[in-house]
Amino acid sequence: MRTQVGIVGGGPAGALLSHLLHLQGIESVVLELRNREEVETAVRAGVLEDATAELLRETGVGKRMDQKGAVHEGIELRFGGHGHRIDFADLTGGRKIVVYGQQEVVKDLYAARLSAGGKLIYEAAATGLQDLDTPQPKIRFRRGAKLDLDAGDIRFRDDTNEEEITCDFVVGADGFFGPCRSFIPDEVRKEHVRTYPFGWFGILVEGSPSTEELIYTLHERGFALVSTRSPEVQRLYFQCDPNDKVDNWPDERIWEEMQTRLATDDGWTLKEGRIFQKDLVQMRSFICEPMQHGRLFLAGDAAHIVPPTGAKGMNLAVSDVRVLVRGLIEFYSSGRTNLLESYSETCLRRVWKASRFSWWMTSMLHRFHDEDDFRYRLQLAELDYLASSRAASTSLAENYVGLPMEVITGVPAND
Ligand code: DHB
């Protein structure tokens, strides 16, 4: 098989890249390990920066988002039993976020790709990358793949053999656990890692929202977050032990914990409902430098992970793809490689800033139970400062709605 851009991974980064390339007349093939239903129903993050939402609209995949997503103009920070609103629209000149599930974004992208005749191969695992330092890199892959979660490896149906895609470029959009990153040689690859001493317990709940905007809470017992998915489905999280198990948390215990952490003195109540899904979210910061090697480019979680507190994960995947597409357009229209050469450098400036923001939100809003009270009191003081200072609130707001896109390095002055 031959294509222009071979993409490993059909999550938000891979699917968006394929869509944007198609709009420019550039052909791609996407390999996705899971089947379509698995990707479309996997519950992930749900906050889109305004530029992310705008990009989806501009490229014809924002219709359902505008119908079903919720535009939020602020968030609430809650601590000491009081809520304090951070008004994004006021602090950032009218910018907002859209709360719309990542799997819904992927669904919209798949629908667009499939109706345009796009080539998406599900249940296909990349088994190797070759010739990355030549103009004809190759992806080896095998169909009939299934991830065996218990064993932590991939099984294949017996009736499949290894196949090969010859491309001009290979994009590793295969997530944190995908194989592509390891094809950047050890001598040039530096991985920065920070783990946090807690995780998030997430639940999906049937029922109407308890709040119009997201609530981020710091309580003595730990962090809690009230988010939403739709007028009928609510998404709630609370800080838990990183090694906790879903089975340790029967519904009554979850509600008791959430009610305790979210209690206020202003009459607000958290609405309970039927919990129909429970999951554990890992908390990790990870950055791989560089994000490219020869004709291989990494995008999204394959290159970097942020803890979920700042809601940046999917937005970073989208900004990587934006930079990569510009580089590929430049290459296919002029043969120049300036933008592709500076891909990693351009992306990493934004990635580090978003990682800083996510680390900061995480550090401020969680209980570090093994540390003394001094740290906790500083966290409360920082929240108090945020709630009372327009300058501090503006810093949070401009990061949350999304910093401006990077100036792309390597663009000649007359471009
Ligand atoms: C959601 C996730 C986040 O990490 C966050 O900061 C806000 C909302 C969510 O899944 O809805």
Side-chain angles (χ1 to χ4, degrees):
M1 204 185 306
R2 153 98 207 143
T3 191
Q4 291 176 295
V5 182
I7 303 172
V8 184
L16 178 65
L17 177 63
S18 174
H19 171 63
L20 298 183
L21 290 176
H22 166 72
L23 296 181
Q24 299 293 330
I26 301 169
E27 193 192 90
S28 64
V29 173
V30 178
L31 300 178
E32 169 54 47
L33 180 56
R34 293 162 295 174
N35 66 39
R36 185 170 174 186
E37 196 195 333
E38 280 168 333
V39 189
E40 291 188 347
T41 54
V43 178
R44 304 290 298 276
V47 174
L48 309 184
E49 293 176 358
D50 70 345
T52 300
E54 197 47 39
L55 178 70
L56 298 177
R57 274 185 208 110
E58 279 169 4
T59 61
V61 285
K63 203 158 161 209
R64 245 171 31 97
M65 173 189 76
D66 282 331
Q67 284 163 358
K68 297 191 176 264
V71 175
H72 288 195
E73 296 198 352
I75 54 167
E76 180 180 324
L77 294 177
R78 189 176 288 185
F79 56 98
H82 303 287
H84 304 268
R85 180 159 190 263
I86 304 289
D87 186 333
F88 296 156
D90 173 45
L91 294 164
T92 65
R95 297 175 64 203
K96 316 162 179 163
I97 54 159
V98 180
V99 182
Y100 185 61
Q102 172 174 321
Q103 75 278 15
E104 302 301 323
V105 173
V106 172
K107 244 185 237 173
D108 297 340
L109 289 166
Y110 283 179
R113 285 311 291 126
L114 294 169
S115 75
K119 194 139 201 185
L120 261 154
I121 309 177
Y122 295 100
E123 299 181 354
T127 49
L129 307 181
Q130 287 170 351
D131 302 336
L132 294 173
D133 47 6
T134 76
Q136 294 216 312
K138 294 164 195 74
I139 305 172
R140 299 195 64 79
F141 75 101
R142 199 169 153 187
R143 298 174 202 251
K146 178 126 192 83
L147 185 62
D148 183 336
L149 281 175
D150 294 331
D153 64 8
I154 297 168
R155 304 280 154 91
F156 294 94
R157 272 199 333 258
D158 290 341
D159 61 340
T160 64
N161 292 312
E162 231 183 16
E163 299 174 55
E164 192 174 88
I165 310 176
T166 304
C167 341
D168 300 329
F169 299 97
V170 173
V171 177
D174 51 342
F176 181 67
F177 295 103
C180 290
R181 187 171 61 248
S182 67
F183 287 87
I184 300 181
D186 289 350
E187 316 84 78
V188 293
R189 191 175 80 239
K190 171 134 183 62
E191 299 188 345
H192 303 269
V193 188
R194 166 75 43 118
T195 54
Y196 300 87
F198 36 73
W200 278 10
F201 197 104
I203 56 171
L204 284 172
V205 181
E206 252 173 36
S208 55
S210 305
T211 163
E212 277 183 19
E213 294 179 338
L214 272 55
I215 303 174
Y216 287 81
T217 309
L218 173 62
H219 182 271
E220 232 178 321
R221 295 182 60 83
F223 170 79
L225 170 60
V226 183
S227 181
T228 184
R229 280 293 173 277
S230 71
E232 301 85 33
V233 174
Q234 308 315 312
R235 180 74 165 143
L236 311 178
Y237 301 94
F238 61 92
Q239 173 184 348
C240 65
D241 186 286
N243 302 312
D244 220 329
K245 298 268 176 303
V246 162
D247 291 345
N248 291 340
W249 289 89
D251 296 3
E252 315 76 67
R253 184 171 173 220
I254 292 174
W255 288 122
E256 199 182 311
E257 195 62 39
M258 287 298 287
Q259 296 287 8
T260 304
R261 295 188 192 188
L262 285 155
T264 56
D265 49 11
D266 63 4
W268 179 88
T269 52
L270 175 67
K271 287 188 203 160
E272 299 186 9
R274 188 177 77 83
I275 299 174
F276 63 94
Q277 188 175 311
K278 303 178 184 177
D279 53 277
L280 289 162
V281 181
Q282 299 296 322
M283 305 287 280
R284 179 191 282 125
S285 293
F286 170 84
I287 299 175
C288 168
E289 288 182 325
M291 290 168 55
Q292 68 192 91
H293 179 71
R295 291 261 175 141
L296 168 68
F297 296 84
L298 302 180
D301 286 4
H304 40 71
I305 297 280
V306 286
T309 324
K312 289 285 160 238
M314 178 174 34
N315 294 295
L316 279 182
V318 170
S319 53
D320 289 350
V321 166
R322 206 188 266 271
V323 177
L324 188 51
V325 167
R326 285 193 56 173
L328 291 167
I329 292 171
E330 182 193 55
F331 175 83
Y332 283 111
S333 59
S334 71
R336 287 206 312 254
T337 55
N338 306 39
L339 294 183
L340 287 174
E341 280 159 24
S342 57
Y343 169 74
S344 180
E345 189 190 329
T346 304
C347 289
L348 282 167
R349 289 175 61 201
R350 186 178 187 81
V351 167
W352 273 109
K353 280 182 269 192
S355 297
R356 184 210 66 83
F357 176 66
S358 307
W359 161 85
W360 172 71
M361 287 282 279
T362 303
S363 308
M364 177 174 67
L365 285 163
H366 289 75
R367 270 297 256 154
F368 291 73
H369 289 294
D370 51 354
E371 294 194 30
D372 62 15
D373 242 22
F374 185 76
R375 180 187 184 121
Y376 179 52
R377 296 302 291 267
L378 287 182
Q379 290 172 240
L380 291 172
E382 181 149 30
L383 284 161
D384 198 9
Y385 170 56
L386 265 174
S388 57
S389 157
R390 189 171 172 92
S393 303
T394 303
S395 170
L396 189 158
E398 69 180 358
N399 277 279
Y400 201 106
V401 299
L403 293 175
M405 286 297 148
E406 298 303 327
V407 174
I408 301 201
T409 45
V411 186
N414 62 354
D415 253 28

